């Protein structure tokens, strides 16, 4: 059998979340990042493309395993980790084996459709990291040298003198040196280790940024990255002495050194893309290069400067885009374990439900600017957007008395005429015709929150259209039968199209909505969002129920 010459191979869409440290429990920011990543993947699937999502845990570094020296010097964070492992009667590996599970469970609870959950302590990742290291060395990009500088255990990175400052702890009056960027404490360190020739890539990075101005999203952070590289790059320490860092991937040809945790961690994106690509012609079969890395704004430098330089050194394709999102605050204050200003994502999912939290976090979450988390905001979004907006529209149309969606759809299929331009129906028809294109444009800009708002605006407009036309007043009047069917059809089309487009955000609830409308499972792709493209729906595939039974968004158990 001859292969189809018209079939064009397209690599899978590959989207990643950052991998999360196991030294502390998940927080609401982790949940936000996961959902952002998941929505991007599901959008690609909606368009009929194969997509791969990778997430996981970072289990190496001083944050996970403190050395005896660090404990003696009283590093509180490390001591807490060691103490936690000790209390559980565990060594560090056992500690990681226990703590990674909370992140895996969070992904499952939040209905994240991940294809991979990587742990950096796994053998396949160790192999990938050591191979990457040897290739860097073979090409002459690594050299041994004494390194002196300010090191932040919390950030797992060295900072130049220009990036640290003397800081005062207002609660204790204690003065200490801290990173200007993150505020985390740094300590002066002098040691022999390996360096990566980062300075050699300044011009190549700047050329790449100029040729790919949308590499970093949003553009404000793209500009920050460009300015940082223009200011100059210093060679990067990429290993630590074993006596300072033993828990990590060993340097393959030097037992006295452990590979720097950020080099180790970044390679996770390659590990699950089958690096080192040993099958010629199939290098991109598992998704590489990544189409989008989704990260928080605090790790931009690692992903947008260091990572591209590492890849350039080995002539590997660079990720196509990096979506950098802002943070969540609580009471307009930065969330922090030490201050107790945190939100437990499991409690939020239990209280408000998975789909409501997916909706809220994408709707209110910040890309450019930080967003403030508050239970009252969740309740407000639920009542206005989900319960009063989409849920109310669904109940009015699907469970309305005096009309049949199936009949209205069939009547429209026979009549086939569009409402007059300039009429209310004509205006609403145009809104629905333009909606898929508007949503697509927002997704192409990696702004799933703006895309969600476009869809919800169509929902609100449909409720207004229905309120204005008042189809319930047309029931029983033979002279208004055609008008009634036209109104119900347009409202049903609004529900159908919005329901399909909302699947990446609320997959379970939208499945229920489309079942209520009687939309075939085979007709729920992006291509089916064209107005008037489906005349086969209208007969419910599930019991519609009465009262609260069958309602898409029932009242919340608590309104405070």
């Amino acid at each position: 059998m001859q292969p189809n010459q018209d079939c064009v191979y397209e690599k899978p869409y590959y989207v990643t979340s950052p991998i999360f440290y196991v030294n502390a429990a998940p927080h609401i920011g982790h949940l936000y990042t996961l959902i952002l990543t998941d929505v991007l993947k599901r959008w690609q699937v909606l368009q009929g493309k194969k997509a791969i999502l990778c997430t996981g845990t970072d289990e190496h570094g001083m944050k996970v395993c403190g050395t005896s020296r660090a404990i003696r010097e009283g590093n509180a964070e490390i001591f807490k980790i060691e103490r936690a492992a000790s209390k559980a009667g565990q060594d560090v590996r056992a500690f990681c084996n226990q703590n990674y599970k909370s992140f895996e469970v969070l992904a499952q609870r939040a209905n994240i459709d991940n294809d991979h959950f990587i742990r950096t302590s796994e053998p396949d990742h160790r192999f990938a990291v050591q191979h990457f290291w040897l290739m860097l060395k073979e090409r002459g990009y690594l050299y041994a040298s004494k390194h002196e500088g300010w090191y932040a255990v919390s950030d797992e990175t060295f900072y130049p003198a220009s990036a640290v400052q003397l800081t005062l702890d207002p609660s204790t009056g204690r003065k200490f040196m801290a990173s200007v960027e993150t505020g985390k404490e740094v300590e002066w360190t002098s040691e022999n280790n390996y360096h990566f020739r980062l300075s050699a890539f300044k011009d190549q990075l700047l050329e790449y940024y100029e040729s790919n101005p949308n590499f970093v999203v949003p553009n404000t952070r793209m500009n920050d990255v460009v300015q940082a590289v223009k200011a100059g790059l210093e060679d990067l320490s990429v290993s630590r002495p074993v006596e300072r860092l033993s828990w990590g991937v060993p340097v393959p040809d030097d037992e006295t050194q452990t590979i720097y945790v950020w080099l180790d961690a970044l390679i996770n994106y390659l590990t699950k893309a089958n690096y080192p690509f040993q099958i010629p012609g199939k290098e991109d079969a598992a998704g590489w290069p990544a189409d989008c890395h989704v990260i928080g704004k605090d790790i931009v430098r690692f992903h947008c400067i260091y990572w591209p330089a590492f890849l350039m050194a080995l002539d590997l394709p660079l990720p196509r885009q990096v979506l950098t999102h802002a943070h969540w605050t609580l009471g307009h204050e930065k969330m922090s374990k030490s201050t107790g200003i945190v939100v437990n994502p499991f409690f939020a999912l239990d209280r408000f439900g998975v789909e409501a939290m997916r909706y809220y976090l994408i709707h209110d979450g910040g890309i450019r600017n930080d967003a403030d988390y508050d239970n009252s905001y969740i309740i407000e979004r639920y009542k206005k957007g989900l319960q009063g907006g989409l849920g109310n529209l669904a109940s009015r149309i699907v469970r309305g008395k005096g009309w049949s969606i199936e009949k209205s759809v069939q009547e429209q299929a026979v009549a086939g005429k569009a409402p007059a331009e300039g009429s209310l129906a004509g205006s609403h028809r145009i809104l629905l015709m333009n909606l898929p294109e508007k949503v697509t444009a927002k997704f192409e800009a990696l702004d799933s929150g703006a895309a969600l708002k476009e869809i919800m605006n169509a929902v609100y407009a449909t409720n207004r259209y229905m309120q204005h036309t008042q189809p319930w007043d047309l029931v029983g009047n033979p002279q208004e039968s055609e008008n009634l069917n036209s109104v119900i059809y347009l409202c049903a089309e609004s529900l159908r199209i919005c329901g399909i487009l909302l699947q990446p955000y609320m997959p379970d609830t939208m499945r229920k909505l489309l079942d209520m409308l009687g939309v075939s499972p085979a007709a729920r792709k992006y291509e089916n969002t064209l107005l008037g493209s489906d005349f086969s729906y209208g007969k419910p595939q599930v019991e519609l129920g009465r009262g609260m039974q069958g309602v898409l968004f029932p009242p919340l158990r608590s309104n405070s």
Side-chain angles (χ1 to χ4, degrees):
M1 182 176 178
Q2 294 294 320
N4 185 354
Q5 298 298 317
D6 296 328
C7 183
V8 178
Y9 170 76
E10 184 178 7
K11 87 165 188 68
Y13 183 92
Y14 184 35
V15 61
T16 69
S17 81
I19 50 176
F20 307 116
Y21 273 124
V22 296
N23 68 309
H27 55 66
I28 203 69
H30 295 131
L31 179 59
Y32 176 52
T33 305
L34 283 169
I35 294 172
L36 266 180
T37 310
D38 185 62
V39 168
L40 290 177
K41 180 204 169 170
R42 290 179 184 272
W43 174 254
Q44 297 297 321
V45 174
L46 185 67
Q47 293 183 307
K49 300 176 182 177
K50 180 180 180 181
I52 298 170
L53 191 162
C54 183
T55 187
T57 48
D58 186 353
E59 302 179 12
H60 290 150
M62 290 180 69
K63 286 176 76 171
V64 179
C65 177
T67 63
S68 59
R69 171 182 173 274
I71 295 173
R72 286 198 305 272
E73 292 180 359
N75 186 303
E77 184 171 5
I78 293 173
F79 181 74
K80 283 189 283 186
I81 298 167
E82 287 289 311
R83 184 173 59 185
S86 178
K87 276 186 175 181
Q90 299 170 321
D91 61 14
V92 179
R93 181 172 292 280
F95 179 78
C96 292
N97 287 343
Q98 179 64 36
N99 282 24
Y100 90 89
K101 294 176 183 176
S102 60
F103 291 93
E104 189 172 49
V105 170
L106 180 63
Q108 293 168 352
R109 283 286 315 280
N111 199 8
I112 305 302
D113 188 24
N114 57 291
D115 302 87
H116 303 298
F117 189 97
I118 187 171
R119 300 178 60 197
T120 57
S121 60
E122 294 172 332
D124 62 338
H125 180 66
R126 174 172 172 154
F127 174 78
V129 172
Q130 291 187 323
H131 182 88
F132 197 98
W133 176 278
L134 290 171
M135 292 300 99
L136 287 175
K137 185 177 181 181
E138 183 179 297
R139 290 179 174 226
Y141 289 113
L142 301 179
Y143 64 92
S145 176
K146 184 176 181 179
H147 185 87
E148 291 185 327
W150 295 101
Y151 189 79
V153 173
S154 294
D155 300 332
E156 297 278 16
T157 190
F158 281 99
Y159 287 103
S162 60
V164 300
Q165 63 185 5
L166 186 63
T167 302
L168 176 69
D169 185 338
S171 62
T172 64
R174 174 175 168 263
K175 294 181 180 179
F176 59 93
M177 297 300 291
S179 161
V180 174
E181 182 181 355
T182 66
K184 299 296 184 180
E185 184 170 358
V186 297
E187 60 181 24
W188 183 260
T189 301
S190 177
E191 60 191 35
N192 291 310
N193 51 29
Y194 289 93
H195 288 68
F196 171 71
R197 300 184 190 278
L198 181 64
S199 58
F201 291 90
K202 176 181 176 180
D203 292 341
Q204 194 173 345
L205 283 168
L206 290 174
E207 288 173 8
Y208 184 79
Y209 299 150
E210 185 175 1
S211 301
N212 299 273
N214 296 318
F215 174 60
V216 181
V217 177
N219 60 0
T220 51
R221 294 195 190 102
M222 179 77 257
N223 295 336
D224 292 342
V225 167
V226 170
Q227 292 307 312
V229 175
K230 282 183 176 180
L233 297 174
E234 297 180 2
D235 287 354
L236 183 67
S237 173
V238 288
S239 73
R240 304 297 308 278
V242 167
E243 61 267 21
R244 290 181 181 271
L245 176 62
S246 59
W247 179 243
V249 178
V251 169
D253 51 0
D254 186 346
E255 61 184 17
T256 69
Q257 296 279 316
T258 303
I259 295 174
Y260 169 56
V261 66
W262 268 103
L263 175 56
D264 166 0
L266 288 164
I267 294 169
N268 95 85
Y269 304 128
L270 284 173
T271 300
K272 290 306 181 184
N274 292 343
Y275 180 78
F277 311 136
Q278 294 171 325
I279 305 176
K282 297 289 186 180
E283 291 85 357
D284 63 358
W288 195 262
D291 292 88
C292 184
H293 290 322
V294 180
I295 64 168
K297 65 179 183 179
D298 54 326
I299 52 176
V300 167
R301 179 160 47 98
F302 304 99
H303 284 79
C304 304
I305 300 176
Y306 298 170
W307 184 222
F310 292 149
L311 294 167
M312 286 174 174
L314 299 190
D315 293 324
L316 291 173
L318 272 59
R320 291 173 176 171
Q321 287 187 289
V322 183
L323 172 61
T324 69
H325 65 75
H327 291 163
W328 286 89
T329 58
L330 188 62
H332 300 287
E333 291 188 42
K334 184 178 179 180
M335 293 194 191
S336 168
K337 299 189 300 291
S338 59
T339 61
I341 304 176
V342 291
V343 175
N344 184 317
F346 294 103
F347 291 171
L349 292 169
D350 287 341
R351 179 175 180 182
F352 298 109
V354 172
E355 306 270 278
M357 285 303 299
R358 287 176 64 99
Y359 175 86
Y360 165 70
L361 290 175
I362 297 297
H363 189 282
D364 279 29
I367 299 298
R368 290 177 178 271
N369 303 309
D370 292 348
D372 199 48
Y373 182 97
D374 194 288
N375 286 344
S376 66
Y377 299 157
I378 303 173
I379 294 168
E380 180 182 339
R381 298 291 177 264
Y382 185 88
K383 287 185 173 180
K384 178 188 176 183
L386 300 182
Q387 191 177 46
L390 185 59
N392 181 49
L393 179 63
S395 291
R396 284 170 128 185
I397 294 298
V398 176
R399 305 203 297 182
K401 296 179 179 178
W403 58 73
S404 162
I405 294 178
E406 185 177 23
K407 179 182 177 182
S408 298
V409 169
Q410 293 304 313
E411 289 285 335
Q412 185 65 27
V414 173
K417 62 180 181 180
E421 290 186 17
S423 66
L424 187 61
S427 299
H428 195 72
R429 181 184 178 87
I430 292 171
L431 181 151
L432 294 178
M433 290 174 65
N434 293 336
L435 181 61
E437 186 177 339
K438 286 185 176 181
V439 173
T440 299
K442 300 300 183 184
F443 267 105
E444 288 178 349
L446 300 181
D447 196 344
S448 55
L452 175 59
K453 292 181 176 72
E454 289 283 0
I455 303 168
M456 292 309 298
N457 285 339
V459 170
Y460 301 141
T462 306
N463 269 317
R464 291 193 297 271
Y465 169 71
M466 191 172 189
Q467 192 63 34
H468 183 86
T469 54
Q470 298 189 344
W472 42 86
D473 289 343
L474 306 179
V475 173
N477 186 342
Q479 294 180 334
E480 296 289 353
S481 176
E482 182 179 340
N483 190 21
L484 173 63
N485 285 327
S486 177
V487 169
I488 297 305
Y489 170 73
L490 204 52
C491 290
E493 276 291 86
S494 300
L495 268 181
R496 184 184 69 84
I497 293 168
C498 290
I500 291 173
L501 292 172
L502 284 170
Q503 287 177 106
Y505 302 93
M506 298 177 287
D508 289 347
T509 307
M510 291 310 101
R511 185 183 306 113
K512 182 178 179 181
L513 170 60
L514 295 171
D515 284 347
M516 292 168 69
L517 283 170
V519 177
S520 167
R524 300 180 183 186
K525 294 291 187 183
Y526 178 82
E527 64 187 29
N528 303 117
T529 58
L530 179 66
L531 179 66
S533 62
D534 185 358
F535 291 111
S536 65
Y537 74 99
K539 187 175 183 179
Q541 298 170 4
V542 292
E543 284 290 331
L544 298 180
R546 289 186 172 186
M548 287 297 104
Q549 184 183 359
V551 170
L552 283 180
F553 301 101
L556 293 170
R557 287 176 292 177
S558 172
N559 286 326
S560 60

